[in-house]
Amino acid sequence: MPSKPRFLQNTLPDGIDLSPRHLGVIGAALKDALEEVLLCGKRHEDLHGTSVYLGISGGDRSFQAALAPHTPHSLLAAANSMCEDALRSPPHKTRVTFLEGGAGPLALLAVLQWELGQPTWRQHLEALLLMASQQVPQLGPGECEVLYGRAGFLWALLWAQRRLPPGSVPRHLQKELVRHILTQGRSGAAELGWPVAGLMFQWHGSAYLGAAHGLAGILYVLCHAMDVIDELDREQQGSGPDQGLEAAAALPDGGGGSRETCGRCGTVQLPGSWRAAVEASISGLVAACLPSGNLPSSLGKAED
């Protein structure tokens, strides 16, 4: 028997006010769609694998994100069951991200079981953290994209950190990942001729600009780790005046040029700082937009 479509068919006219009646229609459609995902997950039908991106854990993520603030305990428990099913499949050796591989289901289970008051959440978090030393190092140095690379694993850590008790995700793991991504990005920018203050990455020989494999996705993740980036900048600049001068002299421009202060957080930005590199890359992406407002798929392309 074919499964029902798992999308919300919009039967409401455009430009309407969201009255309680209309919200009820939307809520009922959402509930039906998510219940169908749950049934498919139980039957292991019409789902492609176990990942958040394509498989059972994506349904689990829908329950957790859309319904958790006001959902019955039973639906959170159902999401927990779906995610446990996902982890029964053998883990992919090189798929380590939130969207693809074991990191997504582990992060989801840790958060769900924390929300459900189950002490086993720590076991799933520990398994997630263990991936940082066992599986992530197996990635090639340049594998930094969101779908399959280090930025995708970093997102799993950041996502869990925001929802679990403070200090659950060790700071040093975040710093190691962010430092690696930034260093690779600066090397890639120099190699590809991207603005020297910015970051650029390659995936399978192309400098992609989009979300899954490209710069936009990596920058999105880095923007959620700006506190880590600022900490790396402070360490690079040194805590004392002499250390700061030594660090500045080691930067690509020898520490010359003017220093800028970030208007949002007050951080002093030396030329060549990591924060400056991220911000320059964002500006570069905006400048690379086509007249349509879209980004080209990669550097050197001139069409949507």
Side-chain angles (χ1 to χ4, degrees), residues 11 15 23 42 57 63 83 99-100 127 145 148 159 177 183 185 217 220 227 238 246-247 252 254 264 269 288 300-301:
T11 59
L23 288 173
K42 286 183 175 179
S57 298
F63 279 112
C83 217
L99 293 174
E100 276 289 310
E145 78 278 7
Y148 299 130
W159 187 88
L177 285 162
T183 302
Y220 178 83
D227 58 327
E246 291 172 5
R264 184 180 65 82
Q269 295 178 254
K301 300 289 185 180

Side-chain angles (χ1 to χ4, degrees), residues 6-206:
R6 293 196 303 278
F7 59 85
L8 305 183
Q9 186 170 4
N10 181 14
T11 59
L12 300 173
D14 293 335
I16 63 167
D17 293 328
L18 291 179
S19 66
R21 183 176 68 83
H22 290 135
L23 288 173
V25 171
I26 295 170
L30 178 62
K31 181 175 181 293
D32 288 346
L34 290 177
E35 286 180 348
E36 176 62 18
V37 171
L38 174 59
L39 289 173
C40 286
K42 286 183 175 179
R43 297 191 301 259
H44 290 267
E45 294 176 359
D46 199 29
L47 288 169
H48 302 278
T50 59
S51 70
V52 173
Y53 185 43
L54 292 173
I56 296 172
S57 298
D60 167 60
R61 172 72 179 113
S62 298
F63 279 112
Q64 195 278 333
L67 299 179
H70 35 254
T71 193
H73 185 278
S74 60
L75 284 182
L76 287 179
N80 182 72
S81 176
M82 289 169 66
C83 217
E84 287 180 334
D85 285 347
L87 286 179
R88 291 191 180 100
S89 299
H92 195 290
K93 292 182 179 179
T94 59
R95 298 285 170 86
V96 299
T97 68
F98 185 81
L99 293 174
E100 276 289 310
L106 286 170
L108 283 163
L109 267 176
V111 170
L112 275 165
Q113 293 186 1
W114 163 253
E115 292 175 348
L116 290 166
Q118 298 178 6
T120 48
W121 70 270
R122 292 186 181 276
Q123 299 174 17
H124 301 299
L125 177 63
E126 288 169 3
L128 172 65
L129 300 179
L130 193 61
M131 293 179 70
S133 60
Q134 292 190 347
Q135 289 174 267
V136 173
Q138 297 181 36
L139 297 173
E143 292 188 68
C144 295
E145 78 278 7
V146 168
L147 189 57
Y148 299 130
R150 286 176 177 81
F153 182 74
L154 175 61
W155 182 251
L157 297 185
L158 295 173
W159 187 88
Q161 174 188 257
R162 289 175 64 89
R163 293 160 175 82
L164 294 175
S168 297
V169 178
R171 186 74 163 183
H172 72 90
L173 293 182
Q174 301 171 56
K175 288 172 66 176
E176 288 171 9
L177 285 162
V178 170
R179 183 185 291 110
H180 183 102
I181 293 169
L182 291 170
T183 302
Q184 286 292 318
R186 180 166 281 168
S187 297
E191 179 182 344
L192 294 165
W194 185 250
V196 292
L199 310 171
M200 183 50 69
F201 305 83
Q202 291 190 68
W203 189 73
H204 285 244
S206 295

